Amino acid sequence: VINQATQVLEKRVRDKTPDLAENFGNVLVGKAINPEPNKTRIRFSQIPSEQEGFASLFRGIIGAFRNPSHHRFLENVSREQALQICAFIDNMLAALETAEVIREI
């Protein structure tokens, strides 16, 4: 389920930035979600520390959960942990849904 949830998250980022569609994982996130509000394609906040927080969360979820689940079976994740991770990704998807997409930076 972690694999599928992270794929959905990655696809939604890609859907918001179709010109970056050939990118995957943290390359995609790095190009789409910059920590600086004036240099980003997907803006969550005009407040630099908040934008940086979202950029860090997206990079973190990709690095910590997407990459491992795409390259091997995660044997040490309990059902409860998987549900918690999926619930967190659901919150990230909700934030992404309301984020501002900047066409030109």
Side-chain angles (χ1 to χ4, degrees), residues 2-3 6 59-70 74 77 81 85 88-89:
I2 295 169
N3 177 287
T6 57
R59 281 193 317 272
I61 208 81
I62 296 297
F65 298 107
R66 179 240 185 240
N67 291 347
S69 73
H70 281 59
L74 303 179
V77 177
Q81 289 170 318
I85 292 164
F88 186 73
I89 290 171

Side-chain angles (χ1 to χ4, degrees), residues 23-86:
N23 296 282
F24 295 91
N26 268 329
V27 172
L28 170 66
V29 169
K31 290 180 179 182
I33 307 170
N34 192 294
E36 297 183 42
N38 295 328
K39 295 182 179 179
T40 192
R41 299 289 307 284
I42 300 175
R43 183 182 298 142
F44 293 91
S45 176
Q46 291 280 7
I47 300 168
S49 61
E50 291 177 8
Q51 179 68 26
E52 182 178 354
F54 277 103
S56 295
L57 286 172
F58 275 80
R59 281 193 317 272
I61 208 81
I62 296 297
F65 298 107
R66 179 240 185 240
N67 291 347
S69 73
H70 281 59
H71 297 289
R72 64 184 180 278
F73 183 75
L74 303 179
E75 296 181 31
N76 296 327
V77 177
S78 71
R79 181 179 183 174
E80 291 77 19
Q81 289 170 318
L83 289 171
Q84 291 167 346
I85 292 164
C86 289

